[in-house]
Amino acid sequence: MNICVFLSAADLDERYTRPAREFAELLGKGGHTLVWGGSDVGLMKVVADGVHEAGGRLLGVSVDFLSSKARPGADEMVIAADLAERKKLLLEKADAVVIMVGGTGTLDEATEILELKKHRRTEKPVVLLNTAGFYDGLRQQFQRMEDEGFLPRPLAELVFFAEEPVGALAYLEESVGTR
């Protein structure tokens, strides 16, 4: 399975890198392909290293202005002209999506896939990996959106919240296996 992971390129502390490394190892050992932003820095590097070391495949989609940070030696690397094209390519190449900790870029990518699901433009499974409670506030906001009628579909149809990497991958394997 090609699993797109949206996540930060920042250098983060162990409470975020440990679960990311764990998820990457599970992904690689499961024979899956990591589809990611292609960067060889920060948390993106941690995940790419983990997948590669565990025997998984790396499919990066970088963007022209960040191509100097692209990971050398990835199994496949595509350079998009801009961020919009990058998101489009990441989603086209993925069977499923995992949203890990990140900043505004990660949030932009997350809301794009959820908007596509909301309008039934995709049915790819999406997991939000809530490492160290990072997305507790966002989860609460999404729940309010559902409760107050802002979502035309139940929140559970849009995104699965996982607290641990093993639960995230198990959900994806089960979801993609039943499609």
Side-chain angles (χ1 to χ4, degrees), residues 19-42:
R21 219 176 353 272
E22 182 183 328
F23 181 77
E25 185 176 302
L26 292 168
L27 196 153
K29 285 183 177 177
H32 302 295
T33 296
L34 170 67
V35 179
W36 92 116
S39 289
D40 200 33
V41 295

Side-chain angles (χ1 to χ4, degrees), residues 12-82:
L12 302 169
D13 70 35
E14 188 66 16
R15 70 183 161 157
Y16 298 120
T17 58
R18 181 202 49 78
R21 219 176 353 272
E22 182 183 328
F23 181 77
E25 185 176 302
L26 292 168
L27 196 153
K29 285 183 177 177
H32 302 295
T33 296
L34 170 67
V35 179
W36 92 116
S39 289
D40 200 33
V41 295
L43 198 60
M44 284 195 190
K45 178 178 176 29
V46 169
V47 171
D49 287 349
V51 169
H52 179 75
E53 289 164 11
R57 191 168 176 277
L58 301 177
L59 193 169
V61 181
S62 188
V63 66
D64 189 52
F65 70 89
L66 294 175
S67 62
S68 65
K69 296 180 180 182
R71 183 182 182 96
D75 295 292
E76 183 180 344
M77 183 65 67
V78 178
I79 307 296
D82 56 35

Side-chain angles (χ1 to χ4, degrees), residues 135-148:
Y135 286 117
D136 285 349
L138 185 60
R139 183 181 201 165
Q140 183 179 2
Q141 184 61 48
F142 284 152
Q143 189 60 57
R144 181 175 180 180
M145 289 174 185
E146 180 179 44
D147 293 346
E148 296 186 17

